Amino acid sequence: MKRILSVIIAVSVLLAAYPVFACTTTLTGKKASADGSVMVSHSDDGLGDGRLIYVPAMDHKKGSMRPVYYDACALGYKPEWGASETQRLVTKERGPGYDTPGVPLSVPIGYIPQVEHTYAYFDANYGIMNEHQLSIGECTDKAKVEPEPAPGKRIFYSSELSRVALERCKKAKDAVKLMGALIDKYGYYGTGETLLVADPEEGWVFEMCGYDAEGTGGVWVAKRVPDDSFFVAANQFRIREVKKGARDMMFSADIFDIAKKKGWWNPSDGPLDWAKVYGDGEFHHPYYSLRRVWRAQSLVAPSKNLPAWVEGAFTKKYPFAVKPDQKLSVEDVFRIHRDNYEGTEFDLTKGLAAGPFNDPNRFEGRAESVAGSEEPLSTVKGAFERPLNIYRCVYAYVNQSRKWLPDAVGGLTWFGPDRPATAVLMPFYAGVNNLPEPIQKGDILKFEKDSMWTAFNYVANYAMLKYGFMIKDIHAVRDHFEMQSFGRQKQLEQNAAELIDDKRDAEARKLLTGYCEDNADNVLKAWWKLSEDLYIKYNDGYLNTSAGIAQSVFYPAWWLKKVGYENGPLTYKRNSGEK
């Protein structure tokens, strides 16, 4: 009996300490982008399911019901809801990509009425983009209350909300209204969340959370991003004052009444501050969120000279959105996600923690990577800076929605598997008939040569052996493919658009699908070849090339001094510092 009780306790502790998808997401308005597109980006920063899945358009029988599934992103994997720790969703109802033999079927937490036709879209841990250029990004936030799922009371989390929106909506504003209505009617569970929702004309920030551990419903607020501005969120609510009658805002009808009832806000306090009233500050420790907001805004608008140090979690030093000093490209936006604070006082490629070879990766030792548990993993209290580029990222992307092109061509997801700094941006058009098989395959507990995620994760991990050297080799291959994609983009899109103008839609989709598949296939082959080249070139800590085998690559002097290299053994006498 004691053994059984011990197992139950151990399992309970394990499930309580759930992995967090602590992400960074940005939105660039059409007048802030270099080409007039509305851009949404997202890095999914939790070691989980890294697949990009194609969900086809479908027709449904009148009166049928749509299942709503539990999302492990919300509160961790729960076996009672099916699927697995590495495969987020298992069902035949959303196309071949989610039909995974040998994995338990996902169990619906509830149902909503289905519509007769649903749109095709790209899906990952959250919905990404549909065939009508509706685009979504996400980050997790800390809310005062984070309820458990409950059939009939709380059936929606942001992941399934984003998918329903992509299945049914063409415009960002309509998607916000739909998701808000679903929260109001069917309830909300899990962490606080930010979803960025955009179409070719505009972008909205949609934030939500639960408010009662046992009750139903949820609360939400949305704010439009100015067309000439750039927005960033990093695991903390970013909407502040909720203003009645504001044309650039939407919110749940009971947002004020609930705040008063809970004792979180009184009208005499002034306008309801959403982040303060319903949020619970930064995700883990000071600057876990704010440093990334500061860095992203500083990179796009350095002229603002934003302060790196502020008075507290609810500072107003960082505006809701900033106007970039120069209009932003896809490369500019993804460069933000690749950042390790290089060139700042927080530069993670410098110092003893970076080791002798400038490794910016900092493994988390307390509760940064695990929510629901504050149990320390070390007796040493402290924290590293939390970068925009983090080692446990499973994918990142930049979406473009472009009004001057047909939807099939104008909607474009630039997808990078694994962490941004070592990923290649690969283009996938909204009008493709399917996605390449390697991008739809991946399991963090399996080594799969035909998985794009495995290839990129393998190289990224190997690079940590001698990061400052290997990253240059990685970037050389990365830059080749990205420059090639950007260089071919204009002609490809012109050809596809002309086919659509000639009413040859099927040919255009075939053209786009073939291009994306060929590019992905070439990237996968090149990345495994890169892994072999890195192994040979840096074998046994040397530099091995045709110019010479076992060329010595020694440690830098500053690092040798820091780690006590000078303390010997240089003589046969005991050093004064040794015991």
Side-chain angles (χ1 to χ4, degrees):
M1 192 65 190
K2 287 182 179 179
R3 288 186 63 188
I4 294 174
L5 184 60
S6 298
V7 170
I8 291 173
I9 292 172
V11 171
S12 299
V13 170
L14 178 63
L15 293 178
Y18 53 88
V20 167
F21 292 75
C23 315
T24 307
T25 188
T26 81
L27 194 153
T28 305
K30 62 184 179 182
K31 293 181 181 179
S33 67
D35 64 356
S37 62
V38 179
M39 293 187 287
V40 168
S41 72
H42 172 211
S43 61
D44 200 63
D45 299 341
L47 186 59
D49 192 338
R51 298 174 297 160
L52 178 64
I53 299 292
Y54 177 77
V55 179
M58 300 181 192
D59 293 317
H60 308 277
K61 292 181 180 179
K62 189 175 182 179
S64 62
M65 302 294 285
R66 181 202 188 276
V68 176
Y69 295 108
Y70 171 74
D71 294 302
C73 312
L75 298 167
Y77 170 62
K78 295 178 183 291
E80 63 267 32
W81 298 113
S84 74
E85 290 180 286
T86 64
Q87 308 291 287
R88 59 180 166 260
L89 186 62
V90 182
T91 176
K92 295 182 179 181
E93 297 169 341
R94 296 191 193 170
Y98 280 127
D99 184 7
T100 311
V103 182
L105 287 171
S106 295
V107 179
I109 194 172
Y111 294 85
I112 63 173
Q114 183 60 282
V115 294
E116 291 188 26
H117 181 77
T118 51
Y119 305 131
Y121 63 100
F122 301 156
D123 190 35
N125 290 313
Y126 309 85
I128 294 178
M129 175 176 272
N130 75 8
E131 61 180 299
H132 296 291
Q133 304 197 59
L134 183 64
S135 170
I136 291 179
E138 180 276 345
C139 79
T140 302
D141 307 310
K142 194 176 182 183
K144 280 187 171 69
V145 179
E146 298 181 348
E148 291 285 327
K153 293 176 69 175
R154 298 178 298 277
I155 72 169
F156 269 108
Y157 183 63
S158 65
S159 302
E160 282 286 76
L161 285 171
S162 67
R163 293 170 187 137
V164 175
L166 293 176
E167 290 167 5
R168 303 182 179 193
C169 298
K170 297 181 181 180
K171 299 299 181 183
K173 195 170 184 178
D174 293 336
V176 169
K177 290 179 179 178
L178 173 61
M179 292 188 288
L182 292 172
I183 290 173
D184 294 341
K185 185 171 183 178
Y186 295 101
Y188 182 86
Y189 69 89
T191 63
E193 281 285 296
T194 295
L195 290 180
L196 304 187
V197 191
D199 60 34
E201 289 288 351
E202 63 178 356
W204 288 78
V205 180
F206 177 63
E207 298 189 324
M208 70 211 82
C209 66
Y211 60 83
D212 192 306
E214 299 300 327
T216 60
V219 283
W220 58 273
V221 62
K223 184 176 175 66
R224 191 181 188 278
V225 176
D227 291 338
D228 64 353
S229 297
F230 167 87
F231 171 90
V232 59
N235 304 132
Q236 184 179 17
F237 288 142
R238 295 277 288 118
I239 296 175
R240 303 305 295 267
E241 285 77 16
V242 180
K243 300 176 181 178
K244 295 180 180 180
R247 296 181 63 183
D248 65 343
M249 295 195 80
M250 294 184 278
F251 45 84
S252 50
D254 52 3
I255 193 171
F256 300 104
D257 292 338
I258 290 169
K260 287 190 290 185
K261 184 178 179 181
K262 289 289 184 180
W264 297 338
W265 172 75
N266 191 297
S268 62
D269 299 335
L272 188 150
D273 186 329
W274 164 261
K276 252 187 178 181
V277 171
Y278 286 100
D280 196 29
E282 294 196 66
F283 212 63
H284 285 295
H285 55 70
Y287 297 105
Y288 184 90
S289 303
L290 290 176
R291 191 75 77 215
R292 282 176 283 157
V293 172
W294 165 79
R295 180 58 168 164
Q297 291 191 344
S298 296
L299 284 170
V300 303
S303 64
K304 289 191 174 294
N305 293 314
L306 295 170
W309 302 95
V310 293
E311 70 281 2
F314 297 106
T315 180
K316 292 188 178 181
K317 294 290 186 180
Y318 309 132
F320 172 73
V322 295
K323 185 176 180 179
D325 289 355
Q326 296 181 336
K327 293 189 176 184
L328 305 174
S329 66
V330 169
E331 302 99 300
D332 294 330
V333 172
F334 207 69
R335 194 174 295 121
I336 293 168
H337 290 280
R338 286 171 165 157
D339 186 76
N340 297 294
Y341 304 123
E342 286 92 344
T344 74
E345 62 182 294
F346 315 110
D347 193 336
L348 293 173
T349 67
K350 306 294 183 183
L352 189 60
F357 304 120
N358 312 106
D359 185 359
N361 298 292
R362 302 288 186 274
F363 302 125
E364 295 158 323
R366 285 184 62 82
E368 296 96 336
S369 62
V370 179
S373 172
E374 293 300 320
E375 185 68 24
L377 300 178
S378 170
T379 56
V380 180
K381 293 184 178 181
F384 287 118
E385 291 286 348
R386 201 296 200 187
L388 288 146
N389 174 70
I390 195 166
Y391 68 93
R392 56 179 167 81
C393 181
V394 289
Y395 61 80
Y397 61 83
V398 180
N399 287 339
Q400 286 186 286
S401 300
R402 299 172 293 174
K403 64 181 179 181
W404 63 92
L405 289 167
D407 286 342
V409 185
L412 177 56
T413 294
W414 294 93
F415 189 84
D418 200 60
R419 64 204 73 172
T422 52
V424 170
L425 283 174
M426 289 175 279
F428 299 106
Y429 286 89
V432 297
N433 295 317
N434 204 345
L435 287 167
E437 187 174 346
I439 209 78
Q440 298 193 75
K441 185 174 185 178
D443 190 319
I444 61 173
L445 296 180
K446 295 179 181 178
F447 188 88
E448 300 170 308
K449 293 278 284 188
D450 55 350
S451 163
M452 190 75 74
W453 184 86
T454 302
F456 276 87
N457 183 256
Y458 181 83
V459 168
N461 274 272
Y462 192 75
M464 288 191 282
L465 289 174
K466 214 157 226 173
Y467 188 89
F469 288 86
M470 293 192 197
I471 196 65
K472 296 175 184 177
D473 297 286
I474 292 170
H475 286 177
V477 182
R478 178 198 76 183
D479 292 348
H480 164 75
F481 280 103
E482 290 188 356
M483 289 172 63
Q484 190 176 77
S485 293
F486 288 122
R488 293 175 176 175
Q489 183 180 3
K490 185 177 180 180
Q491 187 62 56
L492 172 71
E493 292 175 357
Q494 181 179 326
N495 293 343
E498 287 175 354
L499 288 171
I500 293 172
D501 287 343
D502 291 341
K503 309 299 182 185
R504 297 158 66 186
D505 291 36
E507 291 180 55
R509 293 178 183 276
K510 184 178 179 180
L511 172 68
L512 295 172
T513 303
Y515 171 77
C516 294
E517 287 181 345
D518 288 345
N519 182 70
D521 183 58
N522 290 334
V523 169
L524 181 62
K525 291 175 181 176
W527 225 249
W528 282 123
K529 177 64 166 57
L530 174 61
S531 74
E532 296 170 0
D533 292 344
L534 293 174
Y535 165 74
I536 293 169
K537 187 174 182 179
Y538 298 102
N539 189 23
D540 283 345
Y542 293 113
L543 181 62
N544 306 291
T545 68
S546 57
I549 304 300
Q551 301 173 58
S552 181
V553 181
F554 201 49
Y555 304 106
W558 70 266
W559 189 83
L560 291 171
K561 289 177 179 292
K562 289 282 188 179
V563 298
Y565 179 77
E566 295 171 301
N567 293 331
L570 298 176
T571 72
Y572 287 96
K573 295 181 179 179
R574 182 191 295 270
N575 290 327
S576 59
E578 294 182 352
K579 294 183 179 179

